[in-house]
Amino acid sequence: MSTAVRTINFTLNGTPVTADVKAHHNVVEMLQTQFALTGARESCGQGLCGCCTVLVDGRAVSGCLYLAVFLDRADVVTVESLAASGRLDPVQEAFIECGAFQCGYCTPGFILMAKALLEQTNDPDDEQIRDYLAGNLCRCAAYPEIVNAVKLAARKNKAGSTGSS
Amino acid sequence: MANSNPSAAQAGHQVGRSLPRLEAREKVTGRAEYTHLMQLPGMLHAKIFRSTVAHGRIKSVDTSEARKSPGVYGVYTGDDIRKVIPDPYYGPAFHDQPILAIDKVHFVGEPVAVVLATDPHIADQAVQQIVADYEELPAVFDEVEAAANKVLVHDELKPAGTFADLKHLKGRKGTNIALDFRLRRGDVDKAFISAAQVFEHTFRTQKVLHMALEPYASIADYRDDGVTVHSGAQGPSFVRTEIARLLGWPENRVRVKVPYLGGGYGGKLYIKMEALAVALSMLARRPVKVALTMEEQFYTITKHPSTFRIKSGLDKDGKIVARKCEVWWNGGAYADVGPRVTQKSGFTASGPYDIDNVSIDSYALYTNLTPAGALRGFGIPQLVWAYESHTDMIARALNRDPLEFRKQNLLREGRPQATGTILKDAAIEKVLDRIAERLNWKQQFDHGQGVVRRGRGLAIALKAVISPTTSVAIVNIAGDGSTTLYCGTVDMGQGSDTAMAQMVGEVLDMPAESVRVVPRDTDVTPYDMGTLGSRSLFHMGHAVRLAAEEARDKIAALRRELGEPAGSNAPLGDLFRKKYGMQAGNIVGTGIYKPDYIPPDGSGLTTNATPFWMVAGSGVELEVDTETGLVRITRLINVADVGKPINPKIVETQLSGASLMQLGFSMFEKMHLDGGQITNASLADYKIPGINDVPPVMQNETVDTTQENGPFGAKGVGELATFGVSPAIANAIDDAIGVRLTELPLTAEAVLRALRAKDNKPLGEE
């Protein structure tokens, strides 16, 4: 285990930041210990459950496997950025209105993935939603409600962009 | 946030609203608090060195290299624990589990030593440098073998004082049987002799685990005058009692704080990592966090594997006249709550049928495996798996319609259940009828042709909610009229905070959203037996209702005292200002609820086994690929009797989620064991249901009923939709391809093997 510390610079939820990290630190650990952000959290530790999802340069990655040193000069977005202004994102609103979670532990990961999906496809069908979210697990199994929430978020986005909300 | 039910958001009519969860905003913003994510100043991280053998005498544990690692704060074994806690054994039913292994190890993965360090990576690496030497002992893994007592897991049984009816087991030697529950009703032997036909089958269930996505975590901060424990625990009051007992302290020096839980499902009940965290904090005199990895959950607590031999005798008209049930529960190395699973599920092991002659023997067994406890059903899903498969097998053998055969034998309102307790408010037939209606049971079903065959099946279940248990709640109205609820029910996703707030709102005529529910903290929230067994909505619901009613009565008294005219609805804040001259004072209402209960006699009989019956069932349609054995569930219907739902939307999601969890236990989840070693202890090798495992059509609904003695006509929900799923699937597989699987999970391989065996073309062994 190397004890060498490297300083990295990156953008975290729109703000330029620096962090001192060791080679074995993953993104989740760095976010929790150095920035007190717990929205991305480790569960399986194998990149299989999606609880640790963060967006790096617009791409969803597993924060439990992604090493912090690789964030140097990257643009990092976590779930905490979505309601930074105090106003919930349409995806978050949709998750609440559809009851798309129970214990809530996996929820930030699902929300970030849904957000990434809706940026690629503004009106996904059920199959596209399931394909895209297949790498996220919810032990409470709120899957039917999650699919509904993504569809509702798409409608909300559409209404928002046409100014009719 | 848009309110999904704005018309009901006005004061009053809070019960029955599909209000989104009160903590929803915290959860979608990633801000909700979970123990696994918490950090305390000066905190040390604990990493556990675990046994590699299933049963052995500890010859030595060499921690010298680990101690030398830079950054290691300390390394501790069972001997060190005994220096601070002389009798370091814990457990809800038996005080049999050591905080760290002492003298012997009893299962692979048992905690043997711990490293503490400020950096978890350093602790992790130091654990790798610990070396233990064991004298291996013979081990027993199978529950039926364990009952023969040839290999003994424990030298002596150590029942806890918690349950009076276990006291006679104290000091018993030479047995692996932690509890045997026995029920005798009528004369079963005589009835079998006179029966026209007798059917006997044996069913088994596999070892599976809760696998909450937030793994077990506890943080203890020990001071000489008190200890604070932050824990992902389903029963804060029990943790407090147990830690106080271990320390020899009064309860008020132990504070247990429980934030939200990232899933519980029964795994986080009673006491898990808390005792270890407290002992380590005592030794280190610093806060200590014990936070497990996903892999370590496989070595903490699981569901009970089981073997159930069930025998039924029928008269010439197809009426079941006798049923004999023998159930062996594989409790693993420590009893946890296994004896309660054994006894309480034993009450209903003969199923939701009206049978005059019943004999039930239910055995809790020690084996050299990870301990087993409660998992969403307290044993009921294992029993239903057997008795509802058995029911279908009889119906098929008799060439009877499985629905009609059930209806002929159903236990009906006003009739005595196996324990002798009269069935009341248990809509068994209504639920069954609704499932059949949803499946269009009366209509011809297309079984398909060629490679893919189709089938359908159903199952119905009955549970007696665990009794007797106590809940206490406090409602506190502040000087401005705002209201706070103190209740120890742990919200682990079931929406209890929301439902409790709705009940307060209903009584006090205020919107549920305006009620603050204090997170569980034993310094402020009063006693509750535990968030388990679908008991909270009923028991805590009553306590909350009573507390709110007392507050309401005090408000009325204050209005009178202040000379308010009758019917006045002056705001509460005005009353306080009038009374105290400023915004000051409180009105406090308390509620305590404990239902009546009569313990079973020596024959397992009682006229009051439970305060309420739980009823649910499932219906399934599926396709089987006869070339691969792959089963595709095309439709899953879950119907339950929940009385009057407090929050219909949350009820629906609870039913849906529970059934999907059980779908995993039915179709693919299994801890693979090889000589006591778990060979698939990771999420990579142990699959849980994902979004693509959801059947294309799912229907979750409740029947229109009222639980007369329930708060606002309601009763518990959480476990219900787990009950019927497994047998409904197996029954549908049989309907599709004419093969019967009697062991879970129902994998493609198991289906194909059975199909090939039926066609006299058996597949070779693995």
Side-chain angles (χ1 to χ4, degrees):
Chain A
M1 194 166 69
S2 165
T3 53
V5 175
R6 199 179 139 190
T7 302
I8 56 169
N9 300 284
F10 60 102
T11 306
L12 178 58
N13 296 332
T15 306
V17 295
T18 65
D20 295 332
V21 297
K22 292 178 185 171
H24 58 271
H25 285 162
N26 66 32
V27 171
V28 168
E29 186 175 4
M30 183 203 66
L31 290 172
Q32 291 187 0
T33 57
Q34 301 198 31
F35 297 97
L37 296 179
T38 56
R41 65 269 314 237
E42 187 167 317
S43 177
C44 72
Q46 295 179 299
L48 297 167
C49 69
C51 290
C52 58
T53 303
V54 295
L55 303 180
V56 176
D57 295 328
R59 202 163 56 92
V61 306
S62 293
C64 73
L65 296 182
Y66 204 92
L67 293 175
V69 288
F70 294 145
L71 292 187
D72 199 26
R73 289 193 290 275
D75 180 35
V76 179
V77 171
T78 71
V79 73
E80 284 87 353
S81 73
L82 296 189
S85 66
R87 191 190 159 88
L88 293 179
D89 186 273
V91 176
Q92 293 171 312
E93 284 180 359
F95 268 65
I96 293 175
E97 286 165 36
C98 294
F101 52 87
Q102 292 182 21
C103 81
Y105 205 73
C106 67
T107 310
F110 270 102
I111 285 175
L112 278 185
M113 284 300 282
K115 186 100 181 120
L117 167 63
L118 293 173
E119 258 155 45
Q120 289 171 24
T121 317
N122 58 15
D123 193 17
D125 62 24
D126 284 27
E127 199 179 329
Q128 285 172 305
I129 294 169
R130 283 198 300 268
D131 278 352
Y132 204 86
L133 299 181
N136 288 64
L137 294 171
C138 170
R139 190 49 154 164
C140 305
Y143 299 118
E145 296 82 14
I146 289 169
V147 173
N148 291 340
V150 176
K151 289 196 283 192
L152 176 61
R155 291 199 298 277
K156 282 173 177 276
N157 281 341
K158 207 171 160 192
S161 64
T162 58
S164 64
S165 69
Chain B
M1 188 194 84
N3 194 305
S4 68
N5 196 3
S7 62
Q10 322 304 324
H13 308 294
Q14 297 302 310
V15 159
R17 287 179 64 195
S18 284
L19 174 72
R21 288 176 168 75
L22 295 182
E23 79 288 3
R25 195 182 174 93
E26 294 286 285
K27 286 181 175 173
V28 299
T29 53
R31 303 286 290 272
E33 202 174 35
Y34 302 92
T35 310
H36 214 281
L37 309 178
M38 285 173 60
Q39 302 181 51
L40 297 188
M43 181 179 90
L44 297 170
H45 293 271
K47 292 290 173 180
I48 300 172
F49 173 81
R50 295 173 179 276
S51 169
T52 50
V53 303
H55 194 194
R57 217 165 286 288
I58 301 171
K59 285 160 73 179
S60 65
V61 182
D62 182 355
T63 59
S64 54
E65 282 304 307
R67 283 176 204 279
K68 285 181 203 158
S69 303
V72 167
Y73 186 93
V75 186
Y76 306 95
T77 66
D79 288 340
D80 299 303
I81 303 288
R82 271 204 281 207
K83 287 174 198 158
V84 290
I85 301 176
D87 190 24
Y89 293 89
Y90 64 88
F94 283 61
H95 293 153
D96 59 0
Q97 188 156 5
I99 292 174
L100 289 176
I102 292 172
D103 303 331
K104 275 174 75 177
V105 288
H106 295 94
F107 69 100
V108 172
E110 175 161 12
V112 173
V114 171
V115 177
L116 293 183
T118 47
D119 182 337
H121 300 284
I122 288 174
D124 226 356
Q125 284 216 325
V127 164
Q128 314 301 321
Q129 294 172 306
I130 298 173
V131 180
D133 193 16
Y134 306 99
E135 176 200 340
E136 280 200 59
L137 300 168
V140 61
F141 306 116
D142 180 88
E143 61 273 12
V144 180
E145 276 173 37
N149 297 323
K150 285 188 182 131
V151 171
L152 296 174
V153 179
H154 294 287
D155 302 329
E156 188 180 326
L157 303 188
K158 294 181 184 173
T162 328
F163 301 108
D165 55 332
L166 298 178
K167 278 186 184 143
H168 68 285
L169 297 168
K170 191 173 174 65
R172 189 174 282 192
K173 293 182 179 183
T175 183
N176 290 320
I177 300 175
L179 179 87
D180 50 337
F181 172 74
R182 185 173 173 277
L183 185 150
R184 296 289 181 273
R185 172 175 187 73
D187 188 339
V188 81
D189 293 330
K190 205 169 131 193
F192 273 120
I193 292 166
S194 60
Q197 296 197 68
V198 174
F199 298 87
E200 181 178 319
H201 306 110
T202 300
F203 300 88
R204 290 176 64 100
T205 63
Q206 80 284 34
K207 200 165 176 73
V208 298
L209 79 162
H210 312 72
M211 206 179 239
L213 290 186
E214 181 203 10
Y216 299 95
S218 299
I219 306 172
D221 187 359
Y222 176 88
R223 313 287 170 92
D224 290 321
D225 54 357
V227 62
T228 301
V229 184
H230 304 264
S231 192
Q234 287 178 235
S237 298
F238 184 86
V239 171
R240 177 158 92 153
T241 308
E242 192 70 341
I243 296 295
R245 182 186 66 79
L246 287 166
L247 299 182
W249 280 2
E251 281 196 42
N252 64 1
R253 285 171 68 186
V254 180
R255 178 180 194 182
V256 181
K257 296 184 74 174
V258 178
Y260 290 110
L261 262 58
Y265 321 110
K268 294 173 182 172
L269 271 173
Y270 306 109
I271 174 165
K272 292 295 176 303
M273 294 301 121
E274 293 88 352
L276 178 59
V278 169
L280 292 170
S281 182
M282 289 174 85
L283 287 162
R285 305 192 74 78
R286 300 250 305 249
V288 172
K289 179 175 185 178
V290 182
L292 301 192
T293 61
M294 184 59 86
E295 178 185 352
E296 288 179 292
Q297 300 209 92
F298 288 80
Y299 304 110
T300 304
I301 194 84
T302 72
K303 191 167 178 160
H304 280 78
S306 65
T307 300
F308 188 164
R309 186 157 69 206
I310 181 167
K311 181 175 164 187
S312 296
L314 280 68
D315 70 12
K316 60 179 174 29
D317 301 321
K319 173 93 182 69
I320 305 170
V321 292
R323 181 163 278 186
K324 185 175 183 202
C325 305
E326 292 167 284
V327 195
W328 293 267
W329 299 97
N330 192 328
Y334 298 109
D336 197 83
V337 78
R340 275 293 157 280
V341 169
T342 302
Q343 188 207 42
K344 298 298 183 180
S345 66
F347 286 174
T348 56
S350 56
Y353 299 106
D354 196 337
I355 308 169
D356 288 335
N357 304 286
V358 176
S359 130
I360 296 169
D361 287 288
S362 186
Y363 306 97
L365 288 147
Y366 283 114
T367 60
N368 293 108
L369 294 175
T370 303
L375 201 175
R376 215 165 188 172
F378 258 87
I380 299 298
Q382 292 98 316
L383 298 178
V384 185
W385 156 244
Y387 68 61
E388 279 301 82
S389 294
H390 178 66
T391 304
D392 246 51
M393 290 165 83
I394 298 172
R396 281 170 204 283
L398 298 174
N399 208 15
R400 294 272 312 271
D401 175 77
L403 174 67
E404 288 310 314
F405 177 62
R406 282 180 173 83
K407 288 183 67 118
Q408 178 189 358
N409 285 287
L410 273 192
L411 186 62
R412 289 182 167 80
E413 206 75 359
R415 289 284 302 160
Q417 189 268 346
T419 56
T421 302
I422 301 296
L423 198 76
K424 188 174 184 318
D425 292 343
I428 301 172
E429 188 161 25
K430 221 169 176 174
V431 168
L432 183 62
D433 283 344
R434 185 63 182 153
I435 296 166
E437 197 181 321
R438 279 294 193 184
L439 286 173
N440 298 314
W441 193 265
K442 294 273 185 306
Q443 286 173 27
Q444 200 70 21
F445 184 76
D446 176 11
H447 286 87
Q449 286 184 335
V451 173
V452 176
R453 299 298 174 91
R454 301 179 68 243
R456 61 179 179 172
L458 46 74
I460 178 93
L462 176 71
K463 176 184 169 176
V465 83
I466 287 166
S467 191
T469 66
T470 301
S471 290
V472 186
I474 298 170
V475 166
N476 185 356
I477 302 172
D480 64 351
S482 64
T483 298
T484 302
L485 170 66
Y486 300 82
C487 103
T489 294
V490 176
D491 199 324
M492 48 191 171
Q494 81 280 38
S496 55
D497 283 1
T498 310
M500 300 302 169
Q502 287 181 256
M503 294 198 219
V504 172
E506 183 73 25
V507 175
L508 293 178
D509 205 17
M510 56 177 68
E513 297 91 322
S514 72
V515 178
R516 161 83 175 145
V517 183
V518 170
R520 297 120 296 261
D521 175 347
T522 58
D523 266 10
V524 288
T525 49
Y527 176 84
D528 176 54
M529 185 269 186
T531 308
L532 62 90
S534 308
R535 65 172 288 280
S536 300
L537 191 83
F538 184 93
H539 294 78
M540 184 57 83
H542 271 308
V544 165
R545 174 185 63 79
L546 291 165
E549 285 173 1
E550 189 177 298
R552 185 188 61 194
D553 293 347
K554 287 183 176 175
I555 294 166
L558 181 60
R559 286 188 198 280
R560 285 194 298 275
E561 181 192 325
L562 295 173
E564 290 284 315
S568 148
N569 58 354
L572 289 171
D574 291 357
L575 300 181
F576 281 103
R577 270 187 292 276
K578 207 163 159 186
K579 164 91 177 168
Y580 298 106
M582 57 186 290
Q583 184 172 318
N586 290 93
I587 281 178
V588 179
T590 57
I592 301 179
Y593 183 76
K594 182 187 180 225
D596 295 334
Y597 171 76
I598 300 170
D601 63 18
S603 297
L605 304 180
T606 165
T607 53
N608 191 354
T610 184
F612 69 91
W613 298 102
M614 298 170 62
V615 178
S618 297
V620 162
E621 288 178 4
L622 52 72
E623 296 172 354
V624 185
D625 184 323
T626 54
E627 286 180 344
T628 62
L630 190 72
V631 174
R632 184 171 165 267
I633 296 166
T634 51
R635 190 167 189 199
L636 174 58
I637 292 156
N638 305 296
V639 182
D641 169 11
V642 304
K644 289 267 175 257
I646 301 294
N647 185 317
K649 175 68 183 174
I650 293 181
V651 167
E652 189 195 330
T653 58
Q654 281 285 290
L655 295 178
S656 171
S659 74
L660 290 171
M661 187 175 207
Q662 189 65 30
L663 187 138
F665 298 146
S666 305
M667 301 304 289
F668 40 77
E669 290 187 41
K670 181 179 185 178
M671 288 169 66
H672 290 280
L673 295 158
D674 183 0
Q677 306 281 340
I678 302 161
T679 60
N680 62 335
S682 80
L683 197 52
D685 299 313
Y686 181 101
K687 181 177 155 42
I688 63 171
I691 203 162
N692 284 311
D693 294 307
V694 177
V697 179
M698 268 191 88
Q699 287 154 320
N700 304 291
E701 54 184 89
T702 57
V703 290
D704 185 18
T705 57
T706 298
Q707 180 67 31
E708 271 183 34
N709 64 344
F712 309 101
K715 57 181 164 181
V717 182
E719 304 166 322
L720 281 170
T722 64
F723 297 168
V725 174
S726 307
I729 296 170
N731 294 342
I733 291 172
D734 195 350
D735 186 50
I737 56 172
V739 304
R740 174 56 62 169
L741 299 181
T742 56
E743 186 168 346
L744 293 177
L746 310 169
T747 60
E749 182 180 335
V751 172
L752 190 63
R753 282 184 183 281
L755 253 180
R756 289 294 188 85
K758 179 189 156 210
D759 294 342
N760 272 324
K761 290 183 285 186
L763 289 175
E765 284 307 304
E766 283 175 66

